[in-house]
Amino acid sequence: MNIFICVKVVPDSETIIKIAPDGKTIDETNIRLAINPYDEYALEAGVQLKEKVGGEVTVISVGDENVAGVIKKCLPVGADKAIHLIAPNSRMVEPLSIARLLADEIRSHPFDIIFCGKTTIDAQNGLVGELLGSLLNIPVVSAASQFSVEGDRAVVSRDVDGTKEIVDCALPCLVTAEKGLAKPRYPSLKEIMLAKKKQIDSEPVIPGEPNLCVLGLEYPPNRPPGKIIGEGAGAAPELVRLLTEEAKVL
Amino acid sequence: MTKVIVFIDHKRGVIKKATAESLSVGKNIAGQIPLVAVMFGAGAKDAVFCLSKYGVDREIVFDNKHLKNPVSLNAVKPLIAIIKQEKPDIILFPHTAAVKELLAAVSANLGISPIVDCVAIENTDGKLTCHRPVYAGKVVVSLTSNQKPTIVSIRPNIFPVIERSAKTKIEEFAFQLNATDILTTIREISGDDKKRPDLMEAKIIIAGGRGVGCAENFVVLEQLADVLGAAVGASRSVVDAEWQPQCIQIGQTGKTVAPELYIACGISGAIQHLAGIYSSKTIVAINSDPDAPIFKIADYGIIGDVKEVVPALIQELKKAKQSS
Ligand SMILES: Cc1cc2nc3c(=O)[nH]c(=O)nc-3n(C[C@H](O)[C@H](O)[C@H](O)COP(=O)(O)OP(=O)(O)OC[C@H]3O[C@@H](n4cnc5c(N)ncnc54)[C@H](O)[C@@H]3O)c2cc1C
Ligand SMILES: Nc1ncnc2c1ncn2[C@@H]1O[C@H](COP(=O)(O)O)[C@@H](O)[C@H]1O
């Protein structure tokens, strides 16, 4: 089976985000990069599928030159190769443009299944996978918490706004990973050594003209500083009073 | 002159709260121009009463025997046909998990870049400036689109529901949907009969962290939730320890919630957890460690053991209920 995993390299979840002087981008100094957490689940799910049914796992990522080192980390985990579509300053490029770049590349290869993350933790659109599937004209199932292949169909369990669903669709298809879809593994030293021989194909790409215009970035309004109202069970009446009379949420 | 279409997310004809919020936003933008709701599937025709309450002037309905999940990807063709017929300026969706695939499919097919998960929208003569959190809410980006129609979705539980009255005119949409248009099929649905509200719509959320101690202790949080009509959530540590299922995890790799009241029990307040609760109106923290970071952002903090404070709180609330 030909399995593609779309991976984005993002500032890690602890990074302090500072707005750059232009007011429209973030300050890139001191940012630590990591694989988007949901994409790690996607990658692991793809690798496990390959281990079960055979085939090849290809990681594909759109990002600037700085992210190559992080993409490499997908190889010891079990990806056979990686495609790095190099686009400078592309981190916050609109999802449709990213999806088009990915679609153009993936279309030129045989593919049976594509895994994406449910969402990125930087742009937070939760869209690139769904857009990509539609551009490729294949079924999409998002936020999978379990996945299997039965014959020529993919079967996915997921939680949709509080309801559990089991959904199936024909292959080829695109599945986006919820946390817990698969538990990311730590590669062994041997796998890390072997992965050095695996290839990364890099290729420059140019995103299309943007349809969205970024007017600016702002910090969210600060929450008022926290207040301790008491200790132990004895504080319960005061809490109920404050919630009723002051906050008016009860 | 802004023509707005709102896509209705519903379950068997009962519209979701996030949909009512979208209609309220849509009506504000549309002003005097008739507001159009598009509703698919069983129950759509009977929803007029409900839609008129939110100011819908026209309801376009479509149903078809193949369309078992009317807000799914499978509805893309009729929805595009309606958009082409109606030529709206703006198409609004609630940002719910159920409609996300459909929103994306429509966008991809029409070549439109959507702006999703907005928490604030300004309207200047039909030109929308949309604000959406990025980088786990550490910053908020404001965006405009230069495309028509503009596709926008709004985060649940942020925008107020505004009731108005309108005479809603029903129009049935004629479209030939075939079995081959069905891309994904639902084999099984469960958990539809839950007695607690969904996390995304809940007014009150009781969330437990590792400080709750063990899976069994969550019973006390559930009791508190029942007294308040609240939903129950959990931190990642709790989910990773398998005390609670993934679907109730709150935070950066879980759900982003915005209830009126969030009660964090035995949760330290890691940055990734706070990312998911930042828009809550009031935050309460119960934690035995006075230095826990959650106290820095909690409107009301109680230093203490969850196992003692929560039962006391239940007692107090029951008392308050009886005396009112
Ligand atoms: C990429 C990434 C994504 C993440 N995403 C998420 C996410 O989505 N959601 C999330 O929650 N976390 C997430 N995390 C994990 C996060 O960093 C924290 O590890 C986690 O939130 C801690 O959970 P906790 O507060 O329950 O546990 P702890 O940090 O262990 O805190 C337990 C708290 O309980 C208190 N306590 C102990 N006993 C009692 C008692 N008897 N009564 C009262 N209080 C008591 C302690 O003082 C402590 O403050 C993520 C981490 C990473 C790296
Ligand atoms: N630049 C990118 N390169 C490769 N895959 C991406 C990129 N951006 C997003 N994706 C994929 O699409 C998913 C959703 O992204 P987003 O729409 O930004 O939330 C991610 O989890 C990735 O799997």
Side-chain angles (χ1 to χ4, degrees):
Chain A
M1 226 178 239
N2 290 301
I3 303 161
F4 278 79
I5 323 283
C6 301
V7 166
K8 186 178 181 189
V9 176
V10 299
D12 89 359
S13 65
E14 305 266 352
T15 301
I16 293 166
I17 301 292
K18 275 209 228 110
I19 299 172
D22 70 357
K24 292 186 177 181
T25 55
I26 63 159
D27 182 352
E28 298 281 333
T29 44
N30 297 326
I31 274 188
R32 271 175 313 179
L33 295 173
I35 296 169
N36 181 48
Y38 288 101
D39 303 353
E40 291 189 293
Y41 307 120
L43 173 60
E44 181 62 36
V47 171
Q48 286 182 11
L49 178 62
K50 176 187 85 169
E51 286 168 349
K52 216 165 175 181
V53 302
E56 192 178 63
V57 172
T58 306
V59 162
I60 178 165
S61 185
V62 180
D64 60 25
E65 269 165 11
N66 298 339
V67 308
V70 185
I71 296 175
K72 237 184 231 155
K73 292 188 181 154
C74 298
L75 296 171
V77 175
D80 299 287
K81 58 179 206 252
I83 301 172
H84 180 185
L85 303 176
I86 301 174
N89 305 320
S90 57
R91 185 176 313 130
M92 296 308 251
V93 163
E94 58 202 57
L96 186 57
S97 303
I98 299 293
R100 281 178 172 149
L101 293 172
L102 292 168
D104 288 345
E105 178 64 34
I106 292 176
R107 230 183 250 125
S108 67
H109 303 267
F111 64 89
D112 300 290
I113 184 155
I114 304 168
F115 286 98
C116 285
K118 178 175 91 162
T119 183
T120 49
I121 62 168
D122 53 357
Q124 266 179 246
N125 284 300
L127 276 179
V128 169
E130 289 77 358
L131 293 167
L132 171 61
S134 292
L135 292 173
L136 293 171
N137 235 330
I138 57 174
V140 176
V141 185
S142 41
S145 51
Q146 275 175 45
F147 166 84
S148 62
V149 171
E150 292 178 14
D152 60 354
R153 293 186 82 78
V155 184
V156 167
S157 309
R158 60 169 169 185
D159 173 73
V160 182
D161 305 315
T163 315
K164 290 242 167 326
E165 280 183 7
I166 301 178
V167 181
D168 71 8
C169 67
L171 294 173
C173 68
L174 187 145
V175 172
T176 77
E178 171 65 283
K179 170 173 170 272
L181 175 62
K183 199 163 182 258
R185 68 187 74 185
Y186 294 102
S188 67
L189 201 60
K190 188 170 154 226
E191 283 160 330
I192 294 172
M193 295 312 290
L194 283 173
K196 288 200 182 353
K197 292 204 198 82
K198 294 179 186 170
Q199 81 200 74
I200 296 193
D201 295 332
S202 327
E203 186 188 324
V205 289
I206 301 167
E209 280 299 306
N211 300 311
L212 302 181
C213 167
V214 173
L215 301 177
L217 290 178
E218 267 176 319
Y219 297 107
N222 271 329
R223 292 193 69 93
K227 206 165 57 207
I228 305 275
I229 61 159
E231 279 187 35
E238 176 64 357
L239 178 62
V240 173
R241 188 190 71 76
L242 287 166
L243 292 177
T244 314
E245 292 170 16
E246 193 177 86
K248 298 192 169 62
V249 288
L250 288 185
Chain B
M1 296 282 273
T2 311
K3 179 165 177 184
V4 182
I5 284 185
V6 176
F7 184 77
I8 305 293
D9 186 7
H10 67 104
K11 262 185 193 159
R12 290 181 292 278
V14 181
I15 74 166
K16 294 188 184 166
K17 181 163 169 266
T19 303
E21 292 158 5
S22 310
L23 288 169
S24 304
V25 171
K27 189 75 180 177
N28 283 348
I29 296 169
Q32 299 303 312
I33 308 297
L35 177 66
V36 183
V38 172
M39 187 160 174
F40 291 165
K45 271 187 257 173
D46 307 320
V48 185
F49 168 73
C50 186
L51 297 181
S52 61
K53 204 163 71 184
Y54 301 115
V56 172
D57 300 286
R58 294 169 57 212
E59 183 197 7
I60 301 178
V61 301
F62 171 72
D63 196 10
N64 174 290
K65 66 171 190 272
H66 300 300
L67 196 58
K68 298 217 171 58
N69 179 357
V71 301
S72 71
L73 189 59
N74 300 328
V76 60
K77 283 191 179 171
L79 184 52
I80 287 175
I82 290 172
I83 292 167
K84 289 199 166 144
Q85 172 189 293
E86 293 291 320
K87 303 189 179 57
D89 300 299
I90 289 157
I91 308 165
L92 268 181
F93 288 81
H95 191 67
T96 55
V99 303
K100 195 172 90 164
E101 292 158 6
L102 177 61
L103 180 157
V106 169
S107 305
N109 275 290
L110 296 176
I112 291 171
S113 280
I115 309 180
V116 296
D117 198 22
C118 300
V119 295
I121 297 175
E122 287 136 31
N123 174 20
T124 320
D125 304 323
K127 182 99 178 155
L128 302 187
T129 302
C130 302
H131 302 262
R132 57 184 307 273
V134 287
Y135 295 101
K138 290 170 192 166
V139 287
V140 177
V141 62
S142 45
L143 295 162
T144 55
S145 162
N146 58 24
Q147 287 181 299
K148 213 170 125 179
T150 307
I151 297 181
V152 174
S153 76
I154 63 161
R155 181 176 287 191
N157 255 352
I158 300 280
F159 293 88
V161 171
I162 304 167
E163 294 204 6
R164 357 207 170 204
S165 69
K167 266 211 174 64
T168 309
K169 198 168 108 246
I170 278 210
E171 297 162 30
E172 281 190 56
F173 189 71
F175 188 85
Q176 181 70 36
L177 189 77
N178 303 310
T180 48
D181 294 323
I182 301 305
L183 298 172
T184 58
T185 43
I186 295 187
R187 284 194 181 180
E188 214 178 291
I189 292 190
S190 57
D192 225 357
D193 47 355
K194 277 198 320 279
K195 53 184 198 312
R196 292 208 187 84
D198 180 45
L199 271 179
M200 303 301 287
E201 296 199 337
K203 279 204 171 117
I204 303 178
I205 293 173
I206 315 298
R210 205 203 299 271
V212 171
C214 60
E216 292 70 33
N217 286 354
F218 265 80
V219 173
V220 196
L221 302 198
E222 280 161 17
Q223 286 165 355
L224 177 57
D226 289 340
V227 177
L228 291 168
V232 174
S235 74
R236 172 164 175 170
S237 303
V238 162
V239 172
D240 288 351
E242 296 182 5
W243 299 352
Q244 291 293 329
Q246 174 63 44
C247 58
I248 69 163
Q249 183 184 315
I250 292 170
Q252 190 161 40
T253 42
K255 299 211 153 81
T256 301
V257 296
E260 299 209 337
L261 174 59
Y262 187 84
I263 305 185
C265 309
I267 293 178
S268 59
I271 188 162
Q272 298 92 351
H273 188 81
L274 301 185
I277 65 170
Y278 204 79
S279 317
S280 306
K281 195 170 155 219
T282 300
I283 297 176
V284 170
I286 302 166
N287 195 304
S288 52
D289 173 9
D291 295 325
I294 188 90
F295 284 131
K296 291 209 180 71
I297 62 127
D299 300 282
Y300 305 114
I302 295 180
I303 301 166
D305 190 331
V306 169
K307 294 184 287 300
E308 287 160 19
V309 179
V310 174
L313 195 54
I314 294 172
Q315 284 311 314
E316 205 54 41
L317 287 163
K318 282 188 177 159
K319 246 198 278 173
K321 249 190 193 170
Q322 271 161 6
S323 63
S324 69

